[in-house]
Amino acid sequence: MADTEEKRVKKRAREQELPDDASRDETRNKRKRKSKKARRWLVRVVVVVALVAVCLLVSRYWDAISKGAVSDWLGDMWGSNTGDGFPLAVEGNALVSVNTTSDALAVLSNNALTLYNANAGEELRHLHNFTDPVLKTAGRYALAAEIGATRLMLEKRSGTVLEFTAPSAITTVALAQNGNFAVATGADKSHTSKVTMYDQKGKEVYSWVSAQLHIVDVAIDTSGKRLAVLGIGAKDGALYSELVILDTSKQTSVRYEAEQTLFCAVSFMENDMVAAVASDALWLAKCDGSGKTVYSYTDRELVSFAFAEDMVGLVLKPYGSADGGEWLMLDLAGTVLQDVAFADGFRHLMATDDEFYLLTDRQLSMYDKNGKAANGVVNSDSRMVVVLNDKPLVVGLTAISVCEWEK
C-alpha cells in the first residue's frame, strides 16, 4: 500500500514538471520571436554596412558618376533618336578640323565646336572666337584650344566639361582618355617652355619646365600618368631635338636626343613605347630609356603620318614629285609590314586602334596588318576621313558622307 502511494506521488511530481500544451506553444513562440529579432538585427547591420560602402564609393568615384557620366550611360543604354543620318551638310571653307570621340563626331569650324551622334544629330554646339583653333579627341572627350592665346574648352556629348584659361600663351595641347589634358606654354621669366597637366576640373596635376627647349608636341598615355614631350633647342650653334618621357607619379624622366633632326609629333604606343616622327626619321623609343629603333627616310619627303596602337603609318614621296607616293605600315620593332605605291593625289591618312585608312582624290582604302582589307570610291572634293562606330566618314567641301565599301 505504501509502495502504491509512493508511485502516485512520483507520478504527480512528473506531471507537474512536464509543461502542458499551452506552455509548450508559448516556449516555441518565444524562440521564434527571438529568432526573428536576431534576423532583423542582422538585416539592419547588413543594410547599414552596404550604405556606408555605397557612400564611400560615391565619394571616391564621384567624377565617374557625375551628371555628365549618367547622361553618357543613358545614351549608351538607349541611344539617341535625333538626326536624319548622313550625309551631313557642312560649310567646307569654315571647317578647321574633324575627328571622333568614342561616341560622337567632333567638327571644329572657325566659330564653333559641334558634336554629332551616330545619326548625324547635333548633340552639342559651343561657339568660340578662337583665332587659331586646334582640336584633340580621346575617349569621350573633345578639346578645342586657341594656339598663341590662352583659352580652351573641354567637351563631351552630354555637355561642356570645362572652360579654361591657361596662365600664358598655348603652343600645343594633348588629351587623355580620362579627360586629363596637358598644356604646353611659351617663355616666361624663369623658363623657355612649360608643360602642365590638369584634370578635367582644371586642377593642376603635374608641371615640368625647360630652360632650353621650345616644345613642339606633347602626348599623354592612356593611364593619364605619363607625358611625352618633344622639344627643339640650340647647342653650339646647331639645332637639336629632344624627346623627354615624364612619369608624373614617380617624378622621373627619360631623355633621347638627336642633332640636326626636327621632330613634329609624338604618341604613346603599346608595350611601354613612344613613337616620334621627324622630317627624316621615325623613332620607336622605350619608355624606360633602354633604347630606340630608328627608321630613316632621308631620301624621301614626309607627307603625312598616323599612329595606331602598335603600328605607325607613313606617307612618303620623292622630293619634287607632285601626285602619288608611297605608304608604309611599320610595327614597333621598325619592321615594314606594308609598302604600297599609289599614283593618285594624296588627301589624308588616319588610324584606328588596328587599321589605317588611306584617302586619295579617287578612293578610300582600308589596311590592316595583312594588307588591303576594303576599298571604296569617293568624290574628288574629299579632304579627310574619320571613323565613327566602325563607319568611315569622308569629309568633303559640302558634306560629310559615309563611304560604302565595294563588294
Side-chain angles (χ1 to χ4, degrees):
M1 191 71 179
D3 291 341
T4 303
E5 182 65 25
E6 184 179 351
K7 290 179 180 179
R8 283 198 296 269
V9 171
K10 289 181 177 181
K11 183 178 180 181
R12 283 196 299 270
R14 287 197 299 268
E15 289 176 350
Q16 290 175 357
E17 290 175 357
L18 292 173
D20 57 13
D21 291 341
S23 298
R24 285 195 294 268
D25 291 341
E26 179 64 23
T27 301
R28 283 195 295 268
N29 289 335
K30 287 182 178 179
R31 288 174 180 171
K32 288 181 179 179
R33 285 195 294 271
K34 288 181 178 180
S35 178
K36 288 181 179 179
K37 187 175 182 180
R39 285 198 296 269
R40 283 198 298 268
W41 275 105
L42 180 61
V43 170
R44 289 172 183 171
V45 170
V46 171
V47 170
V48 170
V49 171
L51 288 174
V52 171
V54 169
C55 291
L56 290 174
L57 288 172
V58 169
S59 175
R60 182 174 181 180
Y61 299 106
W62 175 249
D63 289 340
I65 55 176
S66 60
K67 178 181 177 181
V70 172
S71 299
D72 294 336
W73 177 75
L74 292 174
D76 290 340
M77 290 292 292
W78 288 285
S80 176
N81 296 319
T82 63
D84 299 322
F86 293 93
L88 172 68
V90 295
E91 296 180 13
N93 293 331
L95 289 183
V96 176
S97 181
V98 180
N99 212 324
T100 55
T101 69
S102 61
D103 62 354
L105 173 69
V107 178
L108 179 65
S109 69
N110 54 15
N111 61 9
L113 172 60
T114 309
L115 301 184
Y116 298 90
N117 60 37
N119 293 323
E122 183 177 312
E123 297 281 345
L124 176 144
R125 179 181 293 265
H126 193 152
L127 299 178
H128 70 79
N129 59 355
F130 295 173
T131 302
D132 186 12
V134 296
L135 174 66
K136 300 287 184 178
T137 60
R140 292 181 181 270
Y141 297 88
L143 184 148
E146 185 177 17
I147 302 302
T150 59
R151 296 173 295 173
L152 63 80
M153 51 194 189
L154 183 64
E155 311 288 343
K156 285 200 301 184
R157 213 177 82 175
S158 56
T160 297
V161 179
L162 178 70
E163 292 183 86
F164 183 80
T165 301
S168 54
I170 299 170
T171 57
T172 188
V173 292
L175 181 62
Q177 292 185 3
N178 64 356
N180 285 7
F181 59 95
V183 179
T185 52
D188 201 343
K189 294 179 180 179
S190 59
H191 55 262
T192 301
S193 295
K194 181 178 182 180
V195 177
T196 308
M197 186 163 69
Y198 302 90
D199 64 18
Q200 58 181 270
K201 295 182 179 180
K203 180 181 177 181
E204 181 176 318
V205 176
Y206 177 83
S207 66
W208 176 84
V209 299
S210 174
Q212 296 84 27
L213 297 176
H214 294 273
I215 297 172
V216 296
D217 197 26
V218 294
I220 310 176
D221 74 345
T222 53
S223 71
K225 296 180 179 180
R226 288 191 297 190
L227 283 168
V229 181
L230 273 181
I232 298 175
K235 186 186 300 182
D236 298 328
L239 291 177
Y240 73 97
S241 289
E242 189 168 26
L243 167 62
V244 185
I245 303 170
L246 303 162
D247 190 316
T248 64
S249 59
K250 298 179 180 179
Q251 302 289 315
T252 58
S253 64
V254 170
R255 296 172 181 267
Y256 294 93
E257 185 178 316
E259 295 181 356
Q260 303 299 327
T261 299
L262 300 180
F263 284 91
C264 58
V266 64
S267 177
F268 280 95
M269 312 295 286
E270 284 190 345
N271 302 327
D272 288 330
M273 295 191 69
V274 168
V277 176
S279 58
D280 58 359
L282 167 68
W283 279 11
L284 300 164
K286 296 182 179 180
C287 291
D288 60 5
S290 59
K292 68 180 186 294
T293 299
V294 178
Y295 180 83
S296 179
Y297 39 87
T298 55
D299 58 334
R300 290 159 291 176
E301 180 183 355
L302 175 67
V303 179
S304 186
F305 55 87
F307 302 108
E309 283 190 344
D310 60 352
M311 298 176 290
V312 179
L314 300 173
V315 176
L316 309 171
K317 69 175 184 179
Y319 283 100
S321 66
D323 289 341
E326 178 185 12
W327 120 256
L328 295 89
M329 180 195 300
L330 297 94
D331 64 16
L332 297 183
T335 303
V336 177
L337 304 177
Q338 303 287 336
D339 187 346
V340 180
F342 61 92
D344 299 332
F346 173 77
R347 291 294 182 267
H348 187 223
L349 177 70
M350 70 85 56
T352 60
D353 290 344
D354 53 7
E355 296 168 336
F356 289 92
Y357 292 76
L358 177 68
L359 178 67
T360 68
D361 56 1
R362 293 187 179 183
Q363 65 181 8
L364 174 66
S365 300
M366 180 179 70
Y367 293 84
D368 57 23
K369 292 180 180 180
N370 299 318
K372 184 183 288 188
N375 198 69
V377 178
V378 298
N379 295 326
S380 59
D381 70 342
S382 299
R383 300 168 54 185
M384 63 183 301
V385 59
V386 296
V387 177
L388 179 63
N389 292 351
D390 297 324
K391 292 184 178 180
L393 302 176
V394 177
V395 182
L397 290 176
T398 59
I400 300 176
S401 308
V402 176
C403 178
E404 300 295 340
W405 298 122
E406 295 178 344
K407 296 182 180 179

mmCIF file of all heavy atoms in Angstrom, residues 28-45:
data_model
loop_
_atom_site.group_PDB
_atom_site.id
_atom_site.type_symbol
_atom_site.label_atom_id
_atom_site.label_comp_id
_atom_site.label_asym_id
_atom_site.label_seq_id
_atom_site.Cartn_x
_atom_site.Cartn_y
_atom_site.Cartn_z
ATOM 1 N N ARG A 28 7.730 27.741 -27.701
ATOM 2 C CA ARG A 28 8.103 27.798 -29.130
ATOM 3 C C ARG A 28 7.947 29.211 -29.697
ATOM 4 O O ARG A 28 8.771 29.677 -30.474
ATOM 5 C CB ARG A 28 7.240 26.811 -29.921
ATOM 6 C CG ARG A 28 7.677 25.353 -29.760
ATOM 7 C CD ARG A 28 7.033 24.496 -30.832
ATOM 8 N NE ARG A 28 5.573 24.463 -30.677
ATOM 9 C CZ ARG A 28 4.922 23.529 -29.976
ATOM 10 N NH1 ARG A 28 5.619 22.571 -29.345
ATOM 11 N NH2 ARG A 28 3.612 23.529 -29.907
ATOM 12 N N ASN A 29 6.901 29.916 -29.323
ATOM 13 C CA ASN A 29 6.679 31.279 -29.817
ATOM 14 C C ASN A 29 7.793 32.217 -29.358
ATOM 15 O O ASN A 29 8.223 33.101 -30.101
ATOM 16 C CB ASN A 29 5.326 31.798 -29.331
ATOM 17 C CG ASN A 29 4.169 31.094 -30.023
ATOM 18 O OD1 ASN A 29 4.327 30.577 -31.140
ATOM 19 N ND2 ASN A 29 2.999 31.073 -29.378
ATOM 20 N N LYS A 30 8.227 32.039 -28.107
ATOM 21 C CA LYS A 30 9.327 32.878 -27.616
ATOM 22 C C LYS A 30 10.590 32.656 -28.432
ATOM 23 O O LYS A 30 11.313 33.583 -28.773
ATOM 24 C CB LYS A 30 9.578 32.583 -26.135
ATOM 25 C CG LYS A 30 8.514 33.135 -25.201
ATOM 26 C CD LYS A 30 8.865 32.828 -23.744
ATOM 27 C CE LYS A 30 7.828 33.420 -22.800
ATOM 28 N NZ LYS A 30 8.149 33.117 -21.365
ATOM 29 N N ARG A 31 10.845 31.384 -28.703
ATOM 30 C CA ARG A 31 12.038 31.080 -29.503
ATOM 31 C C ARG A 31 11.939 31.695 -30.906
ATOM 32 O O ARG A 31 12.903 32.205 -31.457
ATOM 33 C CB ARG A 31 12.209 29.565 -29.597
ATOM 34 C CG ARG A 31 12.654 28.923 -28.293
ATOM 35 C CD ARG A 31 12.654 27.418 -28.418
ATOM 36 N NE ARG A 31 13.077 26.793 -27.169
ATOM 37 C CZ ARG A 31 13.006 25.477 -26.956
ATOM 38 N NH1 ARG A 31 12.518 24.667 -27.898
ATOM 39 N NH2 ARG A 31 13.407 24.980 -25.792
ATOM 40 N N LYS A 32 10.727 31.609 -31.506
ATOM 41 C CA LYS A 32 10.544 32.192 -32.837
ATOM 42 C C LYS A 32 10.742 33.707 -32.821
ATOM 43 O O LYS A 32 11.353 34.286 -33.713
ATOM 44 C CB LYS A 32 9.149 31.861 -33.362
ATOM 45 C CG LYS A 32 8.968 30.403 -33.761
ATOM 46 C CD LYS A 32 7.553 30.162 -34.301
ATOM 47 C CE LYS A 32 7.377 28.711 -34.712
ATOM 48 N NZ LYS A 32 5.993 28.441 -35.216
ATOM 49 N N ARG A 33 10.186 34.350 -31.762
ATOM 50 C CA ARG A 33 10.349 35.811 -31.679
ATOM 51 C C ARG A 33 11.813 36.201 -31.541
ATOM 52 O O ARG A 33 12.283 37.174 -32.133
ATOM 53 C CB ARG A 33 9.526 36.350 -30.504
ATOM 54 C CG ARG A 33 8.035 36.381 -30.775
ATOM 55 C CD ARG A 33 7.316 37.248 -29.747
ATOM 56 N NE ARG A 33 7.384 36.679 -28.403
ATOM 57 C CZ ARG A 33 6.495 35.828 -27.904
ATOM 58 N NH1 ARG A 33 5.457 35.434 -28.645
ATOM 59 N NH2 ARG A 33 6.619 35.365 -26.668
ATOM 60 N N LYS A 34 12.532 35.428 -30.713
ATOM 61 C CA LYS A 34 13.970 35.704 -30.557
ATOM 62 C C LYS A 34 14.695 35.524 -31.884
ATOM 63 O O LYS A 34 15.569 36.309 -32.246
ATOM 64 C CB LYS A 34 14.559 34.783 -29.488
ATOM 65 C CG LYS A 34 14.141 35.118 -28.068
ATOM 66 C CD LYS A 34 14.800 34.171 -27.077
ATOM 67 C CE LYS A 34 14.413 34.527 -25.646
ATOM 68 N NZ LYS A 34 15.046 33.607 -24.662
ATOM 69 N N SER A 35 14.342 34.478 -32.638
ATOM 70 C CA SER A 35 14.991 34.221 -33.929
ATOM 71 C C SER A 35 14.696 35.336 -34.926
ATOM 72 O O SER A 35 15.587 35.805 -35.641
ATOM 73 C CB SER A 35 14.520 32.864 -34.473
ATOM 74 O OG SER A 35 15.089 32.616 -35.739
ATOM 75 N N LYS A 36 13.404 35.772 -34.981
ATOM 76 C CA LYS A 36 13.045 36.872 -35.896
ATOM 77 C C LYS A 36 13.761 38.162 -35.520
ATOM 78 O O LYS A 36 14.220 38.912 -36.371
ATOM 79 C CB LYS A 36 11.538 37.090 -35.868
ATOM 80 C CG LYS A 36 10.744 35.984 -36.549
ATOM 81 C CD LYS A 36 9.245 36.305 -36.498
ATOM 82 C CE LYS A 36 8.443 35.217 -37.207
ATOM 83 N NZ LYS A 36 6.982 35.494 -37.162
ATOM 84 N N LYS A 37 13.836 38.413 -34.203
ATOM 85 C CA LYS A 37 14.523 39.620 -33.741
ATOM 86 C C LYS A 37 15.989 39.601 -34.132
ATOM 87 O O LYS A 37 16.549 40.612 -34.576
ATOM 88 C CB LYS A 37 14.372 39.730 -32.231
ATOM 89 C CG LYS A 37 14.891 41.038 -31.652
ATOM 90 C CD LYS A 37 14.603 41.126 -30.169
ATOM 91 C CE LYS A 37 15.094 42.472 -29.605
ATOM 92 N NZ LYS A 37 14.821 42.557 -28.142
ATOM 93 N N ALA A 38 16.627 38.441 -34.003
ATOM 94 C CA ALA A 38 18.040 38.318 -34.377
ATOM 95 C C ALA A 38 18.219 38.538 -35.875
ATOM 96 O O ALA A 38 19.167 39.209 -36.303
ATOM 97 C CB ALA A 38 18.559 36.945 -33.974
ATOM 98 N N ARG A 39 17.269 37.970 -36.674
ATOM 99 C CA ARG A 39 17.374 38.166 -38.127
ATOM 100 C C ARG A 39 17.186 39.627 -38.517
ATOM 101 O O ARG A 39 17.867 40.138 -39.411
ATOM 102 C CB ARG A 39 16.344 37.284 -38.839
ATOM 103 C CG ARG A 39 16.711 35.806 -38.875
ATOM 104 C CD ARG A 39 15.914 35.076 -39.942
ATOM 105 N NE ARG A 39 14.489 35.099 -39.654
ATOM 106 C CZ ARG A 39 13.849 34.179 -38.974
ATOM 107 N NH1 ARG A 39 14.523 33.150 -38.436
ATOM 108 N NH2 ARG A 39 12.539 34.255 -38.777
ATOM 109 N N ARG A 40 16.229 40.294 -37.845
ATOM 110 C CA ARG A 40 16.019 41.717 -38.140
ATOM 111 C C ARG A 40 17.263 42.524 -37.832
ATOM 112 O O ARG A 40 17.661 43.411 -38.605
ATOM 113 C CB ARG A 40 14.820 42.237 -37.335
ATOM 114 C CG ARG A 40 13.476 41.827 -37.909
ATOM 115 C CD ARG A 40 12.354 42.711 -37.352
ATOM 116 N NE ARG A 40 12.230 42.583 -35.911
ATOM 117 C CZ ARG A 40 11.416 41.726 -35.312
ATOM 118 N NH1 ARG A 40 10.672 40.903 -36.033
ATOM 119 N NH2 ARG A 40 11.349 41.676 -33.993
ATOM 120 N N TRP A 41 17.905 42.233 -36.698
ATOM 121 C CA TRP A 41 19.132 42.961 -36.374
ATOM 122 C C TRP A 41 20.222 42.673 -37.394
ATOM 123 O O TRP A 41 20.982 43.572 -37.795
ATOM 124 C CB TRP A 41 19.599 42.569 -34.974
ATOM 125 C CG TRP A 41 18.933 43.378 -33.896
ATOM 126 C CD1 TRP A 41 17.957 42.991 -33.044
ATOM 127 C CD2 TRP A 41 19.210 44.760 -33.599
ATOM 128 N NE1 TRP A 41 17.594 44.015 -32.217
ATOM 129 C CE2 TRP A 41 18.349 45.128 -32.527
ATOM 130 C CE3 TRP A 41 20.080 45.711 -34.119
ATOM 131 C CZ2 TRP A 41 18.342 46.395 -31.989
ATOM 132 C CZ3 TRP A 41 20.087 46.986 -33.572
ATOM 133 C CH2 TRP A 41 19.218 47.310 -32.524
ATOM 134 N N LEU A 42 20.322 41.429 -37.838
ATOM 135 C CA LEU A 42 21.326 41.088 -38.848
ATOM 136 C C LEU A 42 21.075 41.827 -40.152
ATOM 137 O O LEU A 42 22.002 42.361 -40.773
ATOM 138 C CB LEU A 42 21.314 39.573 -39.085
ATOM 139 C CG LEU A 42 22.317 39.048 -40.131
ATOM 140 C CD1 LEU A 42 23.745 39.372 -39.698
ATOM 141 C CD2 LEU A 42 22.148 37.541 -40.318
ATOM 142 N N VAL A 43 19.794 41.880 -40.570
ATOM 143 C CA VAL A 43 19.454 42.614 -41.800
ATOM 144 C C VAL A 43 19.801 44.084 -41.664
ATOM 145 O O VAL A 43 20.351 44.706 -42.576
ATOM 146 C CB VAL A 43 17.959 42.425 -42.128
ATOM 147 C CG1 VAL A 43 17.544 43.372 -43.257
ATOM 148 C CG2 VAL A 43 17.677 40.983 -42.534
ATOM 149 N N ARG A 44 19.492 44.659 -40.496
ATOM 150 C CA ARG A 44 19.809 46.083 -40.293
ATOM 151 C C ARG A 44 21.305 46.334 -40.367
ATOM 152 O O ARG A 44 21.753 47.321 -40.950
ATOM 153 C CB ARG A 44 19.273 46.528 -38.928
ATOM 154 C CG ARG A 44 17.752 46.620 -38.872
ATOM 155 C CD ARG A 44 17.253 46.862 -37.463
ATOM 156 N NE ARG A 44 15.787 46.884 -37.391
ATOM 157 C CZ ARG A 44 15.104 46.914 -36.273
ATOM 158 N NH1 ARG A 44 15.755 46.920 -35.098
ATOM 159 N NH2 ARG A 44 13.784 46.944 -36.297
ATOM 160 N N VAL A 45 22.089 45.450 -39.770
ATOM 161 C CA VAL A 45 23.551 45.605 -39.818
ATOM 162 C C VAL A 45 24.042 45.527 -41.262
ATOM 163 O O VAL A 45 24.885 46.333 -41.696
ATOM 164 C CB VAL A 45 24.231 44.523 -38.944
ATOM 165 C CG1 VAL A 45 25.735 44.524 -39.183
ATOM 166 C CG2 VAL A 45 23.929 44.761 -37.477
#
